[in-house]
Coordinates of all heavy atoms in Angstrom, one line a residue:
P207 N 2.2 -17.7 2.1 CA 1.0 -16.9 2.2 C -0.3 -17.7 2.4 O -1.3 -17.2 2.8 CB 0.9 -16.2 0.8 CG 2.3 -16.3 0.2 CD 2.9 -17.6 0.8
E233 N -5.6 -6.8 11.1 CA -6.5 -6.5 10.0 C -7.4 -5.3 10.4 O -7.6 -4.3 9.7 CB -7.3 -7.7 9.6 CG -6.6 -8.7 8.8 CD -7.5 -9.8 8.4 OE1 -8.4 -9.6 7.6 OE2 -7.1 -11.0 8.8
L238 N -2.5 -4.6 8.4 CA -2.5 -5.6 7.3 C -3.5 -5.1 6.2 O -4.7 -4.8 6.5 CB -3.0 -7.0 7.7 CG -2.0 -7.9 8.4 CD1 -2.7 -9.2 8.7 CD2 -0.8 -8.0 7.6
R239 N -3.0 -4.9 5.0 CA -3.8 -4.4 3.9 C -4.4 -5.5 3.1 O -4.1 -6.7 3.3 CB -3.0 -3.4 3.1 CG -2.5 -2.2 3.9 CD -1.6 -1.3 3.1 NE -1.3 -0.1 3.9 CZ -0.4 0.7 3.5 NH1 0.2 0.6 2.4 NH2 -0.2 1.8 4.3
S240 N -5.2 -5.1 2.2 CA -5.9 -6.1 1.3 C -4.9 -7.0 0.5 O -3.9 -6.5 0.1 CB -6.9 -5.5 0.4 OG -6.3 -4.7 -0.5
F241 N -5.3 -8.2 0.3 CA -4.5 -9.1 -0.5 C -4.2 -8.6 -1.9 O -3.2 -8.8 -2.5 CB -5.2 -10.5 -0.5 CG -4.4 -11.6 -1.2 CD1 -3.4 -12.2 -0.5 CD2 -4.6 -12.0 -2.5 CE1 -2.6 -13.2 -1.1 CE2 -3.9 -12.9 -3.1 CZ -2.9 -13.6 -2.4
S242 N -5.2 -7.9 -2.5 CA -5.0 -7.4 -3.9 C -3.9 -6.5 -4.1 O -3.4 -6.2 -5.2 CB -6.4 -6.8 -4.4 OG -6.6 -5.6 -3.7
R243 N -3.4 -5.9 -3.0 CA -2.3 -4.9 -3.1 C -1.0 -5.6 -3.5 O 0.0 -5.0 -3.9 CB -2.1 -4.2 -1.8 CG -3.2 -3.3 -1.5 CD -2.9 -2.4 -0.3 NE -1.8 -1.6 -0.7 CZ -1.7 -0.3 -0.3 NH1 -2.6 0.2 0.5 NH2 -0.7 0.4 -0.6
R244 N -1.0 -7.0 -3.5 CA 0.2 -7.7 -3.9 C 0.2 -8.0 -5.4 O 1.2 -8.5 -5.9 CB 0.2 -9.1 -3.1 CG 0.4 -8.9 -1.6 CD 0.3 -10.1 -0.8 NE 1.3 -11.1 -1.4 CZ 1.4 -12.3 -1.1 NH1 0.5 -12.8 -0.2 NH2 2.3 -13.1 -1.5
L245 N -0.9 -7.7 -6.0 CA -1.0 -8.1 -7.4 C -0.2 -7.2 -8.3 O 0.0 -6.0 -8.1 CB -2.5 -7.9 -7.8 CG -2.9 -8.2 -9.2 CD1 -2.8 -9.7 -9.4 CD2 -4.3 -7.8 -9.5
D246 N 0.5 -7.8 -9.3 CA 1.2 -7.1 -10.3 C 0.3 -6.6 -11.4 O -0.4 -7.4 -12.0 CB 2.3 -8.0 -10.9 CG 3.2 -7.3 -12.0 OD1 2.9 -6.1 -12.3 OD2 4.1 -7.9 -12.4
P247 N 0.1 -5.2 -11.6 CA -0.8 -4.7 -12.6 C -0.6 -5.2 -14.0 O -1.5 -5.4 -14.7 CB -0.6 -3.2 -12.5 CG 0.1 -2.9 -11.2 CD 0.8 -4.2 -10.9
A248 N 0.7 -5.6 -14.3 CA 0.9 -6.2 -15.6 C 0.2 -7.5 -15.9 O -0.2 -7.8 -17.0 CB 2.4 -6.4 -15.8
A249 N -0.1 -8.2 -14.8 CA -0.9 -9.4 -14.9 C -2.3 -9.2 -15.4 O -3.0 -10.0 -15.9 CB -0.9 -10.2 -13.6
L250 N -2.8 -7.9 -15.2 CA -4.1 -7.5 -15.7 C -4.0 -6.8 -17.0 O -5.1 -6.3 -17.5 CB -4.8 -6.6 -14.6 CG -5.0 -7.2 -13.2 CD1 -5.5 -6.1 -12.3 CD2 -5.9 -8.4 -13.3
Y252 N -2.0 -4.1 -17.6 CA -1.5 -2.8 -17.4 C 0.0 -2.7 -17.3 O 0.6 -2.8 -16.2 CB -2.2 -2.2 -16.1 CG -3.7 -2.0 -16.3 CD1 -4.5 -3.0 -15.9 CD2 -4.2 -0.9 -16.8 CE1 -5.9 -2.9 -16.0 CE2 -5.6 -0.7 -17.0 CZ -6.4 -1.7 -16.6 OH -7.8 -1.6 -16.8
M255 N 3.4 2.0 -16.0 CA 3.2 2.6 -14.7 C 3.7 4.1 -14.9 O 4.7 4.3 -15.5 CB 4.1 1.9 -13.7 CG 4.1 2.6 -12.3 SD 2.8 2.0 -11.2 CE 3.1 0.2 -11.2
P278 N -10.4 3.7 -11.9 CA -9.7 2.5 -11.5 C -8.2 2.5 -11.7 O -7.5 1.8 -10.9 CB -10.4 1.4 -12.3 CG -11.7 2.0 -12.7 CD -11.5 3.5 -12.9
V280 N -6.1 4.8 -11.3 CA -5.4 5.5 -10.3 C -5.3 4.6 -9.1 O -6.3 4.3 -8.4 CB -6.1 6.8 -9.9 CG1 -5.4 7.5 -8.8 CG2 -6.2 7.7 -11.1
I281 N -4.1 4.0 -8.9 CA -4.0 3.0 -7.8 C -3.5 3.5 -6.5 O -3.5 2.7 -5.5 CB -3.2 1.8 -8.4 CG1 -1.8 2.2 -8.7 CG2 -3.9 1.1 -9.5 CD1 -0.9 1.0 -9.1
E282 N -3.0 4.7 -6.5 CA -2.4 5.2 -5.2 C -2.3 6.7 -5.4 O -2.0 7.3 -6.4 CB -1.0 4.6 -5.1 CG -0.4 4.9 -3.7 CD 1.0 4.1 -3.6 OE1 1.4 3.4 -4.6 OE2 1.6 4.2 -2.5
R295 N -0.1 7.5 -8.5 CA 0.5 6.4 -9.2 C -0.6 5.8 -10.1 O -1.7 5.5 -9.6 CB 1.1 5.3 -8.3 CG 1.8 4.2 -9.0 CD 2.7 3.4 -8.2 NE 2.1 2.7 -7.1 CZ 2.3 1.4 -6.9 NH1 3.2 0.7 -7.6 NH2 1.6 0.8 -5.9
V297 N -1.7 3.2 -13.5 CA -1.4 2.2 -14.4 C -2.2 2.4 -15.7 O -3.3 2.9 -15.7 CB -1.6 0.8 -13.8 CG1 -0.7 0.5 -12.7 CG2 -3.1 0.6 -13.4
P332 N 8.1 -2.2 -3.5 CA 7.9 -1.9 -2.0 C 8.4 -3.1 -1.2 O 8.1 -4.3 -1.6 CB 6.4 -1.7 -1.9 CG 6.0 -1.3 -3.2 CD 6.9 -2.0 -4.2
Y334 N 9.2 -4.6 2.9 CA 9.1 -4.4 4.4 C 9.8 -5.5 5.2 O 9.8 -5.4 6.4 CB 7.6 -4.3 4.8 CG 6.9 -3.3 4.0 CD1 6.1 -3.6 2.9 CD2 7.0 -1.9 4.4 CE1 5.4 -2.6 2.2 CE2 6.3 -0.9 3.6 CZ 5.5 -1.3 2.6 OH 4.9 -0.3 1.8

Side-chain angles (χ1 to χ4, degrees):
E233 285 183 61
L238 280 183
R239 296 177 175 172
S240 66
F241 185 79
S242 66
R243 294 191 64 145
R244 297 176 56 191
L245 184 66
D246 181 352
L250 299 174
Y252 294 92
M255 175 90 56
V280 176
I281 60 172
E282 190 173 1
R295 187 162 62 131
V297 294
Y334 303 100

